[in-house]
């Protein structure tokens, strides 16, 4: 016997019972985003590798370790998209969207690919809803976007969500700050844990996350990036915060928030759902005022975020039934023997009239068909008998009434 195939490592099948919750996530995101003026865009699943190398940043984990890159038959290097922002910025430039009224607000959703170590909530193919507002440096844009993401999560019913907010300032302010922090950490090396001491030069910000008592004492007195912002960046951040406060969005200031992508400037944020354990990030984003220029376009400020559909589904899963809305309102037509062809014809007629309708296709006896109607969660069963009569049974109340089979659609609408 030949070996059975399995889905590749780090990927999974979305089974039909998991579809309703995922669909609810994308459709309510769509509703809120489109009501806020975001228009849908769809970009290719793969792009030139250079777009991500330049857009996401050569030094990031994503570009260095996590890209699914392949050569096509013409010898071009292509990469499965690890995120949406670079592609959307490319499309913005390619289609001359800078000539439209700014900011151009776009959203998308779909699969993304990163070669990560798989674990619960971390996959090699995952789904995101993504929103980008390109062409405005107003802090109102940052605030509007954060409120939108927060309202989407709240509207879905994701509980225990924390919002962490920070500002990275300009790349110049950031790198001056990192030098200052390294110097500070070296000046107090003796008090730090071995691990933190070993990483001062590679990643000094890690020191803020340490549990070690001595390290924590040192970090409590350490300079933070928020104290070192340029006046214009500090002012921008202040406006973002004011507008979050004004619209009742609760956040925690996190001066150590760094995101895994190089392109961020100024505002950065992350939504976490504590219930999810190690992979708790359900969404995040920030401002990226330098990216479009880096991709060969004019200086164009922009801001964006991505929500992780798989993790939000995990956070919601426990409370949700896997039944689809459609089946819950549907009719299951029950018949035996020669009546089966009439049942199929009726089902087809009902479907053409816009109803959800189904029938037994496994030669079950009447009793088995009623069970099946219940199993699929149908709202009604319509039992056809040999004498041409039909009985409509309300599966919820158990109430039955005789109906004219040709008027079933009207009966149900009643
Ligand atoms: P990022 O694009 O890294 O800012 O990620 C935004 C959101 O996408 C995260 O908060 C996660 O919810 C989700 N996400 C990112 N990477 C993965 C992954 N490998 N597996 C599942 N979800 C992910």
């Amino acid at each position: 016997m030949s070996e059975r195939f399995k889905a590749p490592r780090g990927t999974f099948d979305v089974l039909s019972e998991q579809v309703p919750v995922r669909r609810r996530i994308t459709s309510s995101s769509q509703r809120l985003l489109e009501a806020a003026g975001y228009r849908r865009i769809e970009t290719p699943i793969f792009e030139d590798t250079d777009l991500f190398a330049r857009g996401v940043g050569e030094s990031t984990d994503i570009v260095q370790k996590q890209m699914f890159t392949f050569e096509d038959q013409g010898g071009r290097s292509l990469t499965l998209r690890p995120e949406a922002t670079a592609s959307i910025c490319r499309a913005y430039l390619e289609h001359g969207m800078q000539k439209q009224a700014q900011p151009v607000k776009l959203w998308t959703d779909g699969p993304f690919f990163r070669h990560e170590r798989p674990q619960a909530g971390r996959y090699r193919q995952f789904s995101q809803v993504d929103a980008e507002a390109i062409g405005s440096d107003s802090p109102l844009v940052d605030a509007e976007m954060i409120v939108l993401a927060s309202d989407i999560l709240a509207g879905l019913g994701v509980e225990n969500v924390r919002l962490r907010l920070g500002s990275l300032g300009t790349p110049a302010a950031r790198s001056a700050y990192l030098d200052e922090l390294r110097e500070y950490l070296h000046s107090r090396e003796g008090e730090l844990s071995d691990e933190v001491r070993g990483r001062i030069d590679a990643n000094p910000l890690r020191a803020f996350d340490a549990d070690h008592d001595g390290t924590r004492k040192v970090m409590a007195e350490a300079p933070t990036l928020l104290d070192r912002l340029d006046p214009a960046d500090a002012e921008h951040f202040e406006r973002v915060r004011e507008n979050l406060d004004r619209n009742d969005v609760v956040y925690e200031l996190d001066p150590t928030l760094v995101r895994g992508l190089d392109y961020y400037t100024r505002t950065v944020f992350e939504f976490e759902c504590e219930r999810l354990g190690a992979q708790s990030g359900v969404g995040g984003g920030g401002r990226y005022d330098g990216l479009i220029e880096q991709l060969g376009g004019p200086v164009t400020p922009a801001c964006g975020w991505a929500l992780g559909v798989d993790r939000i589904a995990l956070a919601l899963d426990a409370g949700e039934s896997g039944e689809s809305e459609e089946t819950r309102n549907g009719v299951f037509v029950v018949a035996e023997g020669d009546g089966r062809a009439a049942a199929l014809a009726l089902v087809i007629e009902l479907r053409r009239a816009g109803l959800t309708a189904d029938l037994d296709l496994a030669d079950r006896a009447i009793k088995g068909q009623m069970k099946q109607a219940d199993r699929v969660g149908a709202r009604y069963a319509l039992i056809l008998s040999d004498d041409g009569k039909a009985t409509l049974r309300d599966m919820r109340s158990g109430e039955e009434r005789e109906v004219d089979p040709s008027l079933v659609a009207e009966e149900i609408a009643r």
Side-chain angles (χ1 to χ4, degrees), residues 122-140:
R122 198 209 266 157
Y123 313 104
R124 289 181 176 174
Q125 175 175 336
F126 55 97
S127 291
Q128 288 185 339
V129 171
D130 183 275
E132 312 289 341
I134 306 175
S136 165
D137 65 359
S138 168
L140 298 185

Side-chain angles (χ1 to χ4, degrees), residues 114 116 121-123 126 128 259 261 281-284 306 308 310-311:
R114 293 181 197 169
E116 301 205 71
R122 198 209 266 157
Y123 313 104
F126 55 97
Q128 288 185 339
R259 300 191 26 86
L261 303 105
V282 287
D310 315 283
R311 291 194 196 159

Side-chain angles (χ1 to χ4, degrees), residues 17-319:
E17 53 271 29
Q18 293 145 6
V19 169
V21 66
R22 297 172 67 90
R23 202 177 269 166
R24 196 162 75 76
I25 295 166
T26 47
S27 63
S28 61
S29 301
Q30 168 173 1
R31 205 171 47 250
L32 269 79
L33 285 165
E34 292 187 350
Y38 285 77
R39 290 171 303 138
R40 184 170 175 84
I41 184 167
E42 294 178 19
T43 61
I45 299 284
F46 55 82
E47 298 267 4
D48 286 334
T49 301
D50 281 348
L51 174 69
F52 300 119
R54 247 201 289 161
V56 178
E58 295 278 9
S59 68
T60 58
D61 272 2
I62 293 184
V63 171
Q64 294 215 332
K65 304 184 210 152
Q66 299 179 345
M67 298 212 298
F68 283 96
T69 296
F70 60 97
E71 209 171 83
D72 73 2
Q73 278 82 341
R76 280 170 291 259
S77 179
L78 299 171
T79 293
L80 298 182
R81 60 184 189 184
E83 55 104 58
T85 307
S87 305
I88 291 179
C89 290
R90 179 209 33 80
Y92 173 92
L93 289 172
E94 187 171 338
H95 302 286
M97 291 188 221
Q98 60 273 41
K99 292 190 214 92
Q100 300 176 7
Q102 306 292 302
V104 174
K105 297 179 177 184
L106 299 168
W107 80 277
T108 195
D109 73 335
F112 295 87
F113 307 84
R114 293 181 197 169
H115 197 279
E116 301 205 71
R117 201 160 40 79
Q119 64 182 85
R122 198 209 266 157
Y123 313 104
R124 289 181 176 174
Q125 175 175 336
F126 55 97
S127 291
Q128 288 185 339
V129 171
D130 183 275
E132 312 289 341
I134 306 175
S136 165
D137 65 359
S138 168
L140 298 185
V141 170
D142 314 35
E144 179 202 34
M145 294 201 84
I146 295 171
V147 172
L148 266 170
S150 168
D151 285 357
I152 288 171
L153 292 168
L156 287 167
V158 185
E159 288 170 351
N160 303 103
V161 175
R162 279 173 60 203
L163 167 59
R164 291 158 61 213
L165 181 71
S167 175
L168 300 178
T170 55
R174 185 153 76 234
S175 100
Y177 164 73
L178 288 176
D179 287 343
E180 181 187 353
L181 181 62
R182 284 188 192 99
E183 208 171 297
Y184 171 78
L185 291 172
H186 280 302
S187 76
R188 299 186 63 173
E189 259 186 36
E191 298 163 67
L192 303 174
S193 72
D194 293 346
E195 198 194 336
V196 169
R197 194 178 318 117
R199 304 210 50 174
I200 292 178
D201 292 315
N203 190 353
L205 288 167
R206 270 285 156 78
F208 283 102
D209 300 330
D211 279 334
H212 177 257
D213 283 343
T215 308
R216 286 169 65 138
K217 193 154 157 276
V218 173
M219 297 324 286
E221 294 158 24
T224 70
L225 178 51
L226 293 179
D227 302 327
R228 297 292 185 271
L229 295 180
D230 292 350
D233 292 344
E235 166 74 14
H236 182 98
F237 194 45
E238 196 49 42
R239 294 284 89 76
V240 174
R241 293 177 55 188
E242 270 170 24
N243 283 282
L244 293 179
D245 294 339
R246 178 166 183 170
N247 293 288
D248 307 316
V249 173
V250 178
Y251 57 85
E252 292 163 31
L253 265 194
D254 187 343
T256 67
L257 188 62
V258 275
R259 300 191 26 86
L261 303 105
D262 268 358
Y263 51 59
Y264 288 111
T265 51
R266 296 191 160 176
T267 318
V268 285
F269 51 92
E270 243 167 47
F271 290 91
E272 279 179 5
C273 175
E274 283 154 26
R275 185 184 287 181
L276 287 175
Q279 300 303 315
S280 61
V282 287
R287 183 163 271 289
Y288 49 92
D289 292 343
L291 177 59
I292 303 251
E293 193 185 8
Q294 211 163 308
L295 296 178
V299 177
T300 311
C303 187
W305 54 241
L307 295 177
V309 174
D310 315 283
R311 291 194 196 159
I312 297 173
L314 282 177
L316 292 173
D317 227 11

